Amino acid sequence: RCPMLVLSAEHDRMLPSSTVRLIAVKYAHVASYRELPRASHWMINEPGWEALAEECVDWVRQTTGRRRKPRG
């Protein structure tokens, strides 16, 4: 089983959060769901994308049991 991080955006008009939540429910045995407030469809190109990327890296590390490397 492969873990999934299912992301939705509060203001996504192409793929509403209600639809994305159904995907997360379907794969609940392996999925983690996160809805991003104030984000739209192309969330990785919006202000604050760095925090989203950091959160994704944290999720991967937590899911795989790998620790975060110290910064510096």
Side-chain angles (χ1 to χ4, degrees):
R1 296 184 184 167
C2 182
M4 296 172 60
L5 177 58
V6 181
L7 300 173
S8 73
E10 179 182 20
H11 300 295
D12 191 336
R13 293 181 184 177
M14 295 179 75
L15 196 56
S17 293
S18 58
T19 301
V20 179
R21 271 194 297 278
L22 290 174
I23 294 167
V25 168
K26 179 177 175 96
Y27 296 100
H29 59 288
V30 293
S32 301
Y33 175 77
R34 169 95 161 85
E35 183 175 328
L36 304 166
R38 300 174 305 281
S40 61
H41 185 73
W42 194 241
M43 60 185 84
I44 200 67
N45 195 38
E46 295 181 5
W49 70 267
E50 296 92 342
L52 170 59
E54 191 74 24
E55 188 172 331
C56 291
V57 169
D58 289 343
W59 179 86
V60 168
R61 288 196 172 120
Q62 179 182 8
T63 302
T64 62
R66 301 186 89 179
R67 284 190 259 158
R68 177 180 212 125
K69 293 181 181 179
R71 291 185 177 184

